[in-house]
Amino acid sequence: LQAPGDYHYLPGQYALVGIDGGRAVRAYTLSSSPGISDCLSITVRRLDGGLGSQWLTGTVQPGQLLQLSAAQGEFVPQPARSDYLFLAGGCGITPVMAMLRELQARACAGDVVFLHICPNPAEQIFAHALQDIAAAFPAPGAGCRSTAFPASS
């Protein structure tokens, strides 16, 4: 998504997306991090019968304009912190990814740990990106570790 230059957001925030010309509105986390990417991104998991996900993944074409609200939400990293522990389940990984990218980009000198509960760790969304972030984490003597746990039935 290409947003106007005056679109401001923090990693972890979300926006309301107008679906099918404003027929409905759905909330999606902004999975990009400001200042790192020139474009906004949202992560959409296609759900059978899901009005928003079906429309976004099946109807929207490159270059099509989307209605997007101002960024919302207060689940953002606190800059004064040196160490971070992130706990997420399922799609809760999406705002955490934006925060991890931000922490890596600003060379967080602390320790960063991320635990993710998902139905099947072998199918964890962002698995390769998490490995890349952990491998390239810039803080000497610290690091970024990510672990996926299967959800119990």
Side-chain angles (χ1 to χ4, degrees), residues 11-105:
Q13 289 188 303
Y14 67 92
L16 301 177
V17 179
I19 304 300
D20 199 11
R23 186 171 73 124
V25 176
R26 297 291 185 268
Y28 287 94
T29 299
L30 299 164
S31 51
S32 52
S33 294
I36 296 173
S37 173
D38 293 335
C39 297
L40 290 174
S41 65
I42 58 174
T43 302
V44 180
R45 185 179 94 194
R46 187 179 175 107
L47 300 173
D48 291 337
L51 177 67
S53 66
Q54 295 267 335
W55 184 75
L56 287 167
T57 61
T59 304
V60 173
Q61 298 297 314
Q64 185 171 339
L65 294 178
L66 297 177
Q67 299 168 335
L68 194 66
S69 74
Q72 302 178 45
E74 297 178 18
F75 182 53
V76 297
Q78 300 302 308
R81 303 268 191 261
S82 61
D83 296 329
Y84 293 86
L85 169 63
F86 294 104
L87 306 171
C91 64
I93 192 173
T94 310
V96 173
M97 280 304 299
M99 291 183 227
L100 290 172
R101 289 180 183 124
E102 171 76 11
L103 290 172
Q104 180 189 10

Side-chain angles (χ1 to χ4, degrees), residues 43-44 90-91 93-94 97 116 118 121 123-128 130:
T43 302
V44 180
C91 64
I93 192 173
T94 310
M97 280 304 299
H116 182 232
C118 54
E123 298 176 11
Q124 180 188 36
I125 186 172
F126 296 122
H128 294 295
L130 285 166

